[in-house]
Amino acid sequence: MAITLVNPGGLPEIDVYRQVSIATGSKLVFIAGQVAWDAEGTTVGEGDLAAQVEQCYLNIGTALAAAGASFDDVAKLTFYVVDWTPDKMPPLLEGISRAAAKLGTTPVPPATLLGVAALDVPGHLVEIEATAVLG
């Protein structure tokens, strides 16, 4: 496996991600920011952050599989959430949990969450991009 996830002493342990990702592979995979579109380009979960996060993760899973990768190979995730406030954390975590159950994985690579004013389509509430490393 090309990725080792670590919570080093001296940094807080966060349940939903690890603080450090150590990559030893030789092939990088950059996944474009995924939004809550299904395969036909229809927005899934209009107005529902949890449903949109779930769809984003499922889309990332599809993109990873096309590269011969899985969430085990993800070195970093970046979240862009429209009008972020801390009260949006529970539905965000719910969406991750539902996707993880469907994907059969516990995705916990280092992550950055950024609040943004808007995304590409007014109905999109979240966009998630991923970087993976393959051995």
Side-chain angles (χ1 to χ4, degrees):
M1 186 159 316
I3 302 293
T4 302
L5 302 176
V6 179
N7 271 328
L11 293 177
E13 286 194 26
I14 309 296
D15 290 339
V16 295
Y17 67 88
R18 302 299 175 260
Q19 294 284 2
V20 177
S21 174
I22 302 165
T24 58
S26 59
K27 183 178 182 180
L28 296 175
V29 179
F30 298 95
I31 309 241
Q34 295 298 303
V35 294
W37 276 331
D38 64 14
E40 288 75 42
T42 302
T43 299
V44 172
E46 190 76 32
D48 182 342
L49 181 60
Q52 290 200 15
V53 169
E54 178 182 3
Q55 186 64 43
C56 290
Y57 265 75
L58 296 176
N59 290 348
I60 290 168
T62 298
L64 288 167
S70 73
F71 269 96
D72 291 336
D73 302 303
V74 174
K76 177 84 165 62
L77 293 171
T78 303
F79 294 74
Y80 303 91
V81 183
V82 174
D83 297 327
W84 174 258
T85 55
D87 64 315
K88 292 183 179 179
M89 187 60 80
L92 185 131
L93 295 176
E94 178 186 336
I96 293 170
S97 179
R98 292 187 334 212
K102 287 182 179 177
L103 295 165
T105 187
T106 304
V108 291
T112 299
L113 189 153
L114 301 166
V116 297
L119 293 170
D120 62 331
V121 172
H124 289 164
L125 304 175
V126 62
E127 183 169 331
I128 307 171
E129 62 183 21
T131 302
V133 180
L134 301 177

